[in-house]
Structures are given as structure tokens and as C-alpha cells.
Amino acid sequence: QSMRSNSTFCSFAGAVMFLPLFPTEAKSSTSLSEADFRNIDAYIERELKEAKIPGASLVIVEGNQIVHERGFGIAGPEGQPVTAETNFFLGSVSKSFTALAIMQLVEAGRIELNAPVQKYLPWFRVADPESSSQIKVRHLLNHTSGFSTYAGRTHFTDSDMSDEAIQRRVRDLRKVKLTAPVGKRFRYSNANYSILGAIIESVSGQRYEDYIQEHIFDPLNMTNSYTSREQVKQHNLATGYRYWFGQPIFATSIPYPRGDIAAAYLISCARDMGQYLLALMNGGTLGDTRILSESGVSKLHTPEKKNLYYAMGWHVGQIDNTRKLGHTGITPSSCAGIAIFPEYQRGFALFINAQNYLSGPDVLALVTMIEFNVLGKMAFPVSRAPKVHTELAMLCMLLLGQAIGFALSCRQIYRWRKYPNTRSRKKQWVILTRGGLSFIVDIGIAVGMLWWIPLSRDIPLSGLILYAPDAGWLLLLNGTLAIIAFIVDLCFTAFLIQQSGHIIAGTGGALCRVSPARTT
């Protein structure tokens, strides 16, 4: 999911402090109280109202138990209330499950972190054959394979629901050029985790969905978590909302790209995510159930020296001088965020059934503010973006300007055809010069709207329309109108050039007839 660069969506700022992952004594001996929970609930309710967010769900864990859970607002246009059992798409939070599954297979001796991907997927290829053989499993987990953020966002509108969807998604990478040397730089990309999903299927002999269900959801008693949209349709899945010019509008017909499920499309609820966080906070165990060894969990949460901010499916950072592990995620119509604070032995998960990629309130900022609350500190109000962003206003003005210019051009063509006596040579060259300038402007607008702006946001235009419909459609309309204007101006200019030739030829012939001596 996460569109500015993914560092905007998902990275946690701050230097990493390498503190013990499982401290024997929590940093704060004072547990969160009922008064703390009331303050947190009041804060969220206030922020949801200010940000026009329809609904949210929260769970807080401490020590070895869930200490607070709460639903806020409505789960959809029918007005059903959000509860701790309301389901949400996890977005990129799904990556932590994929990383956990890989580490389980590592501990089972079936995967080696430093083995090349081609050991498990012999058919795996990217554009460069040498790079294809160099990418290792660890590179995928740490986002150091060289895949760009853009390469991981090309299938947002994919509707393939076949059992081969993940494999086909990975095979589609065969023409992709890496944007960084393998193993050298951090480049967040969904493509990395889609490949990991294919590796899980190849090594385990199970569908990715079945493996997650059997080895993570079932052992942790996550009975209200699902691996497909079809499964959850019979249950309580929140209806997502997208923002149009700052107003939340419930989303319909949102694609479900199964090929990217390992990166962004698992489904869970606050209560189940509490179980998940407790297991990871307590060395891979929940009660009598162990899903991973303590050292395995430590590896998941330890970044490489080349990138101190991302481990394996978890961002690693610092907030208020406290180490934190977490991840955020977005889908076209929802947001999610999870965090663990090892020093305090606390964690939380927050789900929101609205998404604001380019417009609307900055809902992901709410996740960061809740972190302060969970640490027992004061959270500040989330800073608000204007209801109509400057970018959207500029796109609207550009569209209006283009429409006026196009109307004037059409008027000029109409007058030119209706009143032949206005076709003087002088007027033709004035129009030709103006037409040449129009060509440059039209091409610039079309390239900028349809290619450069989406590329600068690391997302195809189709994905931008899905995640930011107001901005996406304005870009498309501006670009399309510019192309139409270019074609019309080009045809009219060609006609004028032809007419200019006739006038010049006719003038030359008249001169010859008047002054025949000058033709010798």
C-alpha cells in the first residue's frame, strides 16, 4: 500500500536503540489505568470527529494480556457500530505475518535466509540475469533487493483470483529493472513480499492463505481473522471510505489483488491482533502455544547495519526516547497500524475504515499520536490538512483553464471556416505561432499529468485513481483534455500550413503575370 514514497507512509523516524528485545523488567512499573484508557478513548473520539473518520477499532496489550479494546463510530453506511471484532484489511501490516511465516520455515530447516531466491523459485527472473541470481531471501525481508517502490504498485487493480495469482505476480517481474544494486540500499517494495509469498507456497507445498491459517491464525486462536475477502463476506467486514475533496465517501468495487496478499491483503480485527502482539511480545509464545522461538522473534525485529530502520516485516525506530517496533498499512479504503514497545511490554493495534492518500485528513498521523497515549504520555492533536488541498485546487484551476483554452480554440476554428474572408496570410502566421506554443503546453501537461506526477509518487496512474480518486481523476481529465487539444490544434495547424502554401503560390503567380520581365 503505502501515495507518496513509502517512507512517508510506513517508516518510523528516529534512530534505533539496540535494547534487549525481552527485558526482564518493564521500564515503567505503573500499568495503564482505567483513567488512561478513558483519556485514550476520548482522544480518539475527538480526533475521529475532527478528521471526519467514520470508524476505528483499538486494542491495547500489556504484559501477557489484552488490557483494553474499543470500537468507535460506524463500520459502514448502514450504521452498524465498530467493535473489537470488526474486520479490517491489514494493508502492509500483512508483511509482518509473511516474515513470521518465513522465519518459521527457517527454524524448520526448510529455508535459509542467505540462500538465493532461485533455490526455491528456479524460474524467478528480473530484467538483469546476474541480479536475478544474486537476490537472497534476506534481501526480500529487509527490502534491500533493489526493487523500486513503483514496481511493487503496478498490480493494485489486478483482479486475478486464481490459485496461481501469487506465482503469476512474481513471474510478471521478469522485465523489471532494479533501481539499486542487490543488497546495497533500502527500497521499500511490495514486490519483495509477494516473492516471499511465492517462496512460502513452494517450500510448504500449501497455498499462502492455507499456511497462514494453519501456522499462525489457528495456533493463536485468531478465530476472526481471514485470508480472503470471500471468507469474510459472511462476517463483519468494515466498509471502507475514500476521501473526495476532504469528504469521506464509502467505497464500492474495490479490487482485491490476490497476487499481493502476502504484502497487503490479510484481514483481521483488533481483538485477534491483540493475541498476535502478545505472542510476539512474549518471545513467540501465547499461553502454552509457541509459534516461534525467542531467538527467531529477535531476528525478526533486528535490522541490518545497512538499514537501521527496517528489520523483517517490522519498522524499527524510536519515539520519545523509547524503542518501538511497528508497521503501518493502507489499502484503497482503510488504514492500519501496530506497535510494540519492548521496554514497557506494551503494544497496540489501531484500524481505521478510511484512507487519505493525497486528500482528506492525515489519518496515519493518528497512529503516531496513539503511541504517546499508550506510553502514558500526552498526545497532541493531529495537524489538519486543508479540506481542499492546494494540489487539488491547482488541478481544478488547470482543468478550468484548459477547458477555456480549448473552447477558444474551437471558436477560432469555427470562425475561420465560416468567414473565409478572414483568412489573411498575416492572421495565418499568428495562429501558426500560437499553435506551436500550444503544442508545447499541451504535450507538457499531458506528460506531466499522465506520467511524471504518478511516477514521482511511485505509483501508476491507475493506482492513483484507486487510492486518491479525486486527484487521480483530475490528473486523468487534465491529461486527456491536453491530448485532445493537441490533436485538434495539430489538425488545424496542418490545414493552415496547406492554406498558407496556396496563398504564397497564388501571390507568386500574380506577380509573374503583372511583371513578366522579372521572370527572365
Side-chain angles (χ1 to χ4, degrees), residues 236-254:
N236 189 19
L237 178 64
T239 299
Y241 289 73
R242 297 186 295 176
Y243 285 89
W244 287 81
F245 301 98
Q247 299 299 316
I249 306 296
F250 74 91
T252 58
S253 303
I254 296 296

PDB file of all heavy atoms in Angstrom, residues 236-254:
ATOM      1  N   ASN A 236     -18.174  -9.683   9.688  1.00  0.00           N
ATOM      2  CA  ASN A 236     -18.323  -8.254   9.959  1.00  0.00           C
ATOM      3  C   ASN A 236     -17.149  -7.461   9.395  1.00  0.00           C
ATOM      4  O   ASN A 236     -16.315  -6.956  10.138  1.00  0.00           O
ATOM      5  CB  ASN A 236     -18.446  -8.047  11.475  1.00  0.00           C
ATOM      6  CG  ASN A 236     -18.832  -6.618  11.818  1.00  0.00           C
ATOM      7  OD1 ASN A 236     -19.333  -5.887  10.985  1.00  0.00           O
ATOM      8  ND2 ASN A 236     -18.575  -6.238  13.056  1.00  0.00           N
ATOM      9  N   LEU A 237     -17.081  -7.344   8.075  1.00  0.00           N
ATOM     10  CA  LEU A 237     -16.013  -6.581   7.434  1.00  0.00           C
ATOM     11  C   LEU A 237     -16.443  -5.122   7.310  1.00  0.00           C
ATOM     12  O   LEU A 237     -17.501  -4.811   6.767  1.00  0.00           O
ATOM     13  CB  LEU A 237     -15.706  -7.141   6.046  1.00  0.00           C
ATOM     14  CG  LEU A 237     -14.627  -6.393   5.249  1.00  0.00           C
ATOM     15  CD1 LEU A 237     -13.278  -6.488   5.954  1.00  0.00           C
ATOM     16  CD2 LEU A 237     -14.533  -6.945   3.831  1.00  0.00           C
ATOM     17  N   ALA A 238     -15.609  -4.237   7.833  1.00  0.00           N
ATOM     18  CA  ALA A 238     -15.933  -2.809   7.769  1.00  0.00           C
ATOM     19  C   ALA A 238     -15.933  -2.331   6.320  1.00  0.00           C
ATOM     20  O   ALA A 238     -15.097  -2.747   5.513  1.00  0.00           O
ATOM     21  CB  ALA A 238     -14.913  -2.009   8.580  1.00  0.00           C
ATOM     22  N   THR A 239     -16.879  -1.477   6.012  1.00  0.00           N
ATOM     23  CA  THR A 239     -16.905  -0.835   4.697  1.00  0.00           C
ATOM     24  C   THR A 239     -15.927   0.330   4.715  1.00  0.00           C
ATOM     25  O   THR A 239     -15.982   1.197   5.589  1.00  0.00           O
ATOM     26  CB  THR A 239     -18.310  -0.313   4.368  1.00  0.00           C
ATOM     27  OG1 THR A 239     -19.211  -1.414   4.335  1.00  0.00           O
ATOM     28  CG2 THR A 239     -18.324   0.376   3.013  1.00  0.00           C
ATOM     29  N   GLY A 240     -15.024   0.332   3.754  1.00  0.00           N
ATOM     30  CA  GLY A 240     -14.023   1.392   3.721  1.00  0.00           C
ATOM     31  C   GLY A 240     -14.545   2.653   3.063  1.00  0.00           C
ATOM     32  O   GLY A 240     -15.521   2.642   2.307  1.00  0.00           O
ATOM     33  N   TYR A 241     -13.882   3.747   3.379  1.00  0.00           N
ATOM     34  CA  TYR A 241     -14.228   5.053   2.817  1.00  0.00           C
ATOM     35  C   TYR A 241     -12.998   5.665   2.160  1.00  0.00           C
ATOM     36  O   TYR A 241     -11.872   5.499   2.629  1.00  0.00           O
ATOM     37  CB  TYR A 241     -14.723   6.004   3.901  1.00  0.00           C
ATOM     38  CG  TYR A 241     -16.083   5.669   4.465  1.00  0.00           C
ATOM     39  CD1 TYR A 241     -16.253   4.574   5.311  1.00  0.00           C
ATOM     40  CD2 TYR A 241     -17.201   6.432   4.160  1.00  0.00           C
ATOM     41  CE1 TYR A 241     -17.503   4.259   5.840  1.00  0.00           C
ATOM     42  CE2 TYR A 241     -18.455   6.131   4.684  1.00  0.00           C
ATOM     43  CZ  TYR A 241     -18.600   5.045   5.524  1.00  0.00           C
ATOM     44  OH  TYR A 241     -19.835   4.734   6.040  1.00  0.00           O
ATOM     45  N   ARG A 242     -13.236   6.361   1.058  1.00  0.00           N
ATOM     46  CA  ARG A 242     -12.187   7.140   0.410  1.00  0.00           C
ATOM     47  C   ARG A 242     -12.592   8.613   0.450  1.00  0.00           C
ATOM     48  O   ARG A 242     -13.766   8.941   0.482  1.00  0.00           O
ATOM     49  CB  ARG A 242     -11.979   6.688  -1.041  1.00  0.00           C
ATOM     50  CG  ARG A 242     -11.514   5.255  -1.154  1.00  0.00           C
ATOM     51  CD  ARG A 242     -11.176   4.895  -2.580  1.00  0.00           C
ATOM     52  NE  ARG A 242     -12.350   4.928  -3.463  1.00  0.00           N
ATOM     53  CZ  ARG A 242     -12.302   4.730  -4.774  1.00  0.00           C
ATOM     54  NH1 ARG A 242     -11.152   4.509  -5.354  1.00  0.00           N
ATOM     55  NH2 ARG A 242     -13.399   4.766  -5.497  1.00  0.00           N
ATOM     56  N   TYR A 243     -11.573   9.480   0.430  1.00  0.00           N
ATOM     57  CA  TYR A 243     -11.857  10.904   0.540  1.00  0.00           C
ATOM     58  C   TYR A 243     -11.936  11.569  -0.836  1.00  0.00           C
ATOM     59  O   TYR A 243     -11.056  11.408  -1.671  1.00  0.00           O
ATOM     60  CB  TYR A 243     -10.787  11.593   1.387  1.00  0.00           C
ATOM     61  CG  TYR A 243     -10.945  11.299   2.854  1.00  0.00           C
ATOM     62  CD1 TYR A 243     -10.320  10.194   3.419  1.00  0.00           C
ATOM     63  CD2 TYR A 243     -11.743  12.097   3.650  1.00  0.00           C
ATOM     64  CE1 TYR A 243     -10.488   9.904   4.763  1.00  0.00           C
ATOM     65  CE2 TYR A 243     -11.910  11.816   5.002  1.00  0.00           C
ATOM     66  CZ  TYR A 243     -11.286  10.722   5.545  1.00  0.00           C
ATOM     67  OH  TYR A 243     -11.454  10.426   6.876  1.00  0.00           O
ATOM     68  N   TRP A 244     -13.036  12.300  -1.037  1.00  0.00           N
ATOM     69  CA  TRP A 244     -13.207  13.139  -2.220  1.00  0.00           C
ATOM     70  C   TRP A 244     -13.239  14.591  -1.733  1.00  0.00           C
ATOM     71  O   TRP A 244     -14.174  15.013  -1.081  1.00  0.00           O
ATOM     72  CB  TRP A 244     -14.503  12.800  -2.945  1.00  0.00           C
ATOM     73  CG  TRP A 244     -14.473  11.497  -3.680  1.00  0.00           C
ATOM     74  CD1 TRP A 244     -14.653  10.253  -3.143  1.00  0.00           C
ATOM     75  CD2 TRP A 244     -14.258  11.313  -5.078  1.00  0.00           C
ATOM     76  NE1 TRP A 244     -14.561   9.297  -4.126  1.00  0.00           N
ATOM     77  CE2 TRP A 244     -14.317   9.918  -5.329  1.00  0.00           C
ATOM     78  CE3 TRP A 244     -14.019  12.174  -6.145  1.00  0.00           C
ATOM     79  CZ2 TRP A 244     -14.149   9.379  -6.602  1.00  0.00           C
ATOM     80  CZ3 TRP A 244     -13.852  11.632  -7.416  1.00  0.00           C
ATOM     81  CH2 TRP A 244     -13.911  10.266  -7.633  1.00  0.00           C
ATOM     82  N   PHE A 245     -12.159  15.308  -2.014  1.00  0.00           N
ATOM     83  CA  PHE A 245     -12.058  16.710  -1.619  1.00  0.00           C
ATOM     84  C   PHE A 245     -12.341  16.888  -0.119  1.00  0.00           C
ATOM     85  O   PHE A 245     -13.065  17.775   0.295  1.00  0.00           O
ATOM     86  CB  PHE A 245     -13.000  17.574  -2.457  1.00  0.00           C
ATOM     87  CG  PHE A 245     -12.720  17.482  -3.931  1.00  0.00           C
ATOM     88  CD1 PHE A 245     -13.454  16.640  -4.737  1.00  0.00           C
ATOM     89  CD2 PHE A 245     -11.692  18.219  -4.489  1.00  0.00           C
ATOM     90  CE1 PHE A 245     -13.184  16.534  -6.094  1.00  0.00           C
ATOM     91  CE2 PHE A 245     -11.413  18.122  -5.849  1.00  0.00           C
ATOM     92  CZ  PHE A 245     -12.158  17.275  -6.649  1.00  0.00           C
ATOM     93  N   GLY A 246     -11.755  15.981   0.672  1.00  0.00           N
ATOM     94  CA  GLY A 246     -11.849  16.094   2.123  1.00  0.00           C
ATOM     95  C   GLY A 246     -13.070  15.457   2.740  1.00  0.00           C
ATOM     96  O   GLY A 246     -13.192  15.445   3.964  1.00  0.00           O
ATOM     97  N   GLN A 247     -13.961  14.901   1.936  1.00  0.00           N
ATOM     98  CA  GLN A 247     -15.183  14.298   2.459  1.00  0.00           C
ATOM     99  C   GLN A 247     -15.123  12.774   2.299  1.00  0.00           C
ATOM    100  O   GLN A 247     -14.856  12.281   1.199  1.00  0.00           O
ATOM    101  CB  GLN A 247     -16.409  14.841   1.732  1.00  0.00           C
ATOM    102  CG  GLN A 247     -16.588  16.346   1.871  1.00  0.00           C
ATOM    103  CD  GLN A 247     -16.766  16.774   3.307  1.00  0.00           C
ATOM    104  OE1 GLN A 247     -17.503  16.148   4.071  1.00  0.00           O
ATOM    105  NE2 GLN A 247     -16.091  17.854   3.697  1.00  0.00           N
ATOM    106  N   PRO A 248     -15.375  12.003   3.374  1.00  0.00           N
ATOM    107  CA  PRO A 248     -15.334  10.540   3.252  1.00  0.00           C
ATOM    108  C   PRO A 248     -16.562  10.011   2.512  1.00  0.00           C
ATOM    109  O   PRO A 248     -17.700  10.294   2.881  1.00  0.00           O
ATOM    110  CB  PRO A 248     -15.321  10.078   4.712  1.00  0.00           C
ATOM    111  CG  PRO A 248     -16.014  11.180   5.461  1.00  0.00           C
ATOM    112  CD  PRO A 248     -15.687  12.454   4.745  1.00  0.00           C
ATOM    113  N   ILE A 249     -16.314   9.251   1.456  1.00  0.00           N
ATOM    114  CA  ILE A 249     -17.372   8.624   0.669  1.00  0.00           C
ATOM    115  C   ILE A 249     -17.125   7.122   0.677  1.00  0.00           C
ATOM    116  O   ILE A 249     -16.021   6.672   0.354  1.00  0.00           O
ATOM    117  CB  ILE A 249     -17.382   9.135  -0.783  1.00  0.00           C
ATOM    118  CG1 ILE A 249     -17.456  10.672  -0.805  1.00  0.00           C
ATOM    119  CG2 ILE A 249     -18.537   8.517  -1.560  1.00  0.00           C
ATOM    120  CD1 ILE A 249     -18.718  11.245  -0.219  1.00  0.00           C
ATOM    121  N   PHE A 250     -18.152   6.318   1.057  1.00  0.00           N
ATOM    122  CA  PHE A 250     -17.909   4.884   1.170  1.00  0.00           C
ATOM    123  C   PHE A 250     -17.557   4.295  -0.192  1.00  0.00           C
ATOM    124  O   PHE A 250     -18.088   4.678  -1.222  1.00  0.00           O
ATOM    125  CB  PHE A 250     -19.093   4.160   1.814  1.00  0.00           C
ATOM    126  CG  PHE A 250     -20.307   4.001   0.947  1.00  0.00           C
ATOM    127  CD1 PHE A 250     -20.462   2.875   0.151  1.00  0.00           C
ATOM    128  CD2 PHE A 250     -21.296   4.966   0.940  1.00  0.00           C
ATOM    129  CE1 PHE A 250     -21.578   2.711  -0.637  1.00  0.00           C
ATOM    130  CE2 PHE A 250     -22.423   4.814   0.158  1.00  0.00           C
ATOM    131  CZ  PHE A 250     -22.570   3.688  -0.638  1.00  0.00           C
ATOM    132  N   ALA A 251     -16.607   3.389  -0.160  1.00  0.00           N
ATOM    133  CA  ALA A 251     -16.027   2.843  -1.386  1.00  0.00           C
ATOM    134  C   ALA A 251     -16.773   1.596  -1.836  1.00  0.00           C
ATOM    135  O   ALA A 251     -17.177   0.763  -1.037  1.00  0.00           O
ATOM    136  CB  ALA A 251     -14.553   2.509  -1.154  1.00  0.00           C
ATOM    137  N   THR A 252     -16.941   1.491  -3.136  1.00  0.00           N
ATOM    138  CA  THR A 252     -17.551   0.298  -3.737  1.00  0.00           C
ATOM    139  C   THR A 252     -16.618  -0.254  -4.798  1.00  0.00           C
ATOM    140  O   THR A 252     -15.791   0.466  -5.364  1.00  0.00           O
ATOM    141  CB  THR A 252     -18.908   0.640  -4.368  1.00  0.00           C
ATOM    142  OG1 THR A 252     -18.720   1.660  -5.358  1.00  0.00           O
ATOM    143  CG2 THR A 252     -19.894   1.147  -3.315  1.00  0.00           C
ATOM    144  N   SER A 253     -16.735  -1.539  -5.060  1.00  0.00           N
ATOM    145  CA  SER A 253     -15.975  -2.198  -6.135  1.00  0.00           C
ATOM    146  C   SER A 253     -14.466  -2.000  -5.999  1.00  0.00           C
ATOM    147  O   SER A 253     -13.768  -1.692  -6.965  1.00  0.00           O
ATOM    148  CB  SER A 253     -16.437  -1.680  -7.507  1.00  0.00           C
ATOM    149  OG  SER A 253     -17.809  -1.884  -7.684  1.00  0.00           O
ATOM    150  N   ILE A 254     -13.953  -2.149  -4.790  1.00  0.00           N
ATOM    151  CA  ILE A 254     -12.506  -2.064  -4.584  1.00  0.00           C
ATOM    152  C   ILE A 254     -11.870  -3.387  -5.014  1.00  0.00           C
ATOM    153  O   ILE A 254     -12.286  -4.458  -4.567  1.00  0.00           O
ATOM    154  CB  ILE A 254     -12.187  -1.779  -3.106  1.00  0.00           C
ATOM    155  CG1 ILE A 254     -12.735  -0.417  -2.702  1.00  0.00           C
ATOM    156  CG2 ILE A 254     -10.683  -1.841  -2.857  1.00  0.00           C
ATOM    157  CD1 ILE A 254     -12.121   0.743  -3.426  1.00  0.00           C
TER     158      ILE A 254
END
